[in-house]
Amino acid sequence: MGFKCQVWVCTFCLVMLLFLQETRAGIHSSNASRLNGRKKVSGCNLFRGRWVVDASYPLYDSSGCPFIDDEFNCQKHGRRDNQYLKYSWQPDSCKIPRFNGADFLRRWRGKKIMFVGDSLSLNMWESLSCMIHAAVPKAKTTFSRRDSLSSVTFDSYGVTLYMYRTPYLVDIVRENVGKVLNLNSIVAGNAWKGMDILIFNSWHWWVHTGRSQGWDYIRDGSALYKNMDRLTAFSKGLTTWGRWVDQNIDPSKTKVFFQGISPTHYQGKDWNQPQKSCSGEAVPLSGSTYPAGAPPAAAVVNKVLSSMKKPVYLLDITTLSQLRKDAHPSTYSDGSGTDCSHWCLPGLPDTWNQLLYAALIM
């Protein structure tokens, strides 16, 4: 009897030890995933890999999608080369599922999905709308376009994709001195509540100056500034956004993503070709690293996400996008000058959405 008791005690202790180890590992894995924003699926980092030629792309034709703005419609505006459309992203240690628009609609039937941010969010929102539309081209849709809030609803499925335009995430308010960027306020966040998926993005507008700057002053608490180091301001504003997520999001009801920093390609020195910009570029950079390294804003995003209490998944699209110097509208849009900030559609944002799809189902 004593021997059996000893065996039982030993077995119980062993089971508890294994349980504690697995629990610690699970907690560590969860925190690490949130901390560095890279989802590991069977040991796979979805965002570390390379671009490979893939004749099965693109997933749709720009002429068949009613949601593309002229600024992203490179084919319409005269871009004749199409090799930039014939690449897919291949992670180093796994394969990601091909995007399936019909499956996406079935999985998220009756749900609301919102992109929140600047024109790079718009780029991604229009891309996802086109990718789904290509899968169900005869499905009835309802399209609404307003200044700050736009939407596409796939009526038969009850799936609505929203786009909320707010380039800084924090508020711009009118005060006696003019337009003030308030680093501590997100009144606009009331419009983001009740969503099933939120995909946030911000950075590009923080560095605008002169006439393209969206504000006259910056407010940080009671202090008013004519200017501020833009990375510092971004960090303060993003910290306010992180606090908003922690206070307002229930992870059991809403999945939150951060889109990551989308790079520009105005300065060829960043990829060791100092005389160039994105203009005339027709192929991606080879390999899986970018000569200039990560932009400083990416470190700010990682720091803020690591300090948050609620889980936010970072779509870490920066490096894979840095390799795509060939995928910008360049001179092929309705705007003037050369656009090395946004991306052609179809094009790179389709991969962002494929990775979003993978993160949701894998």
Side-chain angles (χ1 to χ4, degrees), residues 55-68:
S56 69
Y57 281 77
L59 298 176
Y60 58 92
D61 189 286
S62 60
S63 63
C65 182
F67 311 119
I68 302 178

Side-chain angles (χ1 to χ4, degrees), residues 180-184 218-225 228 232 236:
V180 176
L181 177 64
N182 191 333
L183 300 179
N184 311 117
I218 294 178
R219 178 172 296 284
D220 183 17
S222 60
L224 199 64
Y225 301 92
M228 182 184 290
T232 300
K236 289 175 178 287

Side-chain angles (χ1 to χ4, degrees), residues 20-67:
L20 288 172
Q21 288 177 337
E22 289 181 3
T23 301
R24 287 180 180 176
I27 293 172
H28 175 76
S29 175
S30 174
N31 288 341
S33 177
R34 188 180 72 193
L35 185 68
N36 62 27
R38 293 170 173 83
K39 185 163 185 175
K40 299 286 184 65
V41 181
S42 298
C44 177
N45 182 336
L46 297 177
F47 307 101
R48 182 176 296 143
R50 66 192 188 282
W51 290 99
V52 297
V53 175
D54 190 334
S56 69
Y57 281 77
L59 298 176
Y60 58 92
D61 189 286
S62 60
S63 63
C65 182
F67 311 119

